[in-house]
Amino acid sequence: MGRTLNGTPVERVFEAIERLDLSREDRAAFARLAEVLSEGYGAVILPRDEMISTQQAADLLGVSRMTVVRLIERGGLRAHMHGSHRRVAASEVARYAEESATRRRRALGAMAREITAETPPDRIVRTR
């Protein structure tokens, strides 16, 4: 038996998505969401302009609330003040997460290119 989403075969979910009167990009987004959910992963969907707390931003980024506050203070994340509370747009959290992932990929790529067969073992960073 193939993957299911709430008991419905994923292929049927994809077929239903294709019949919706949506743009190609929207259908692709729904299909990706169905795929993620069928694989057992969680998903967070927020309107781009949704304003969230620093704690919610921290939860989405997988960091502490203080890290989010520091990112705001350093200009890494844009936020708006609502009284004495900072609020961050969901789109801003997504932007930061994507940029952060890109920086990590580039750094790992650079490290990988530096390692050759002649690199001594003590110069290779081991993670486990």
Side-chain angles (χ1 to χ4, degrees), residues 2-83:
R3 293 179 303 172
T4 63
L5 185 59
N6 291 337
T8 303
V10 173
E11 292 74 23
R12 286 188 49 208
V13 174
F14 290 157
E15 290 168 7
I17 290 168
E18 286 300 318
R19 289 191 302 270
L20 295 174
D21 185 25
L22 299 171
S23 70
R24 186 173 9 150
E25 293 81 13
D26 290 343
R27 279 195 304 276
F30 275 114
R32 177 66 179 132
L33 176 61
E35 181 181 1
V36 166
L37 293 175
S38 72
E39 292 172 357
Y41 298 108
V44 177
I45 301 174
L46 295 169
R48 293 185 59 75
D49 60 351
E50 179 85 12
M51 299 302 285
I52 61 176
S53 70
T54 53
Q55 184 60 60
Q56 290 168 315
D59 293 344
L60 290 171
L61 293 170
V63 299
S64 72
R65 189 188 68 78
M66 277 310 300
T67 297
V68 170
V69 169
R70 286 187 200 108
L71 285 168
I72 292 168
E73 290 173 350
R74 294 178 188 155
L77 267 176
R78 291 182 295 274
H80 302 280
M81 294 298 290
H82 286 253

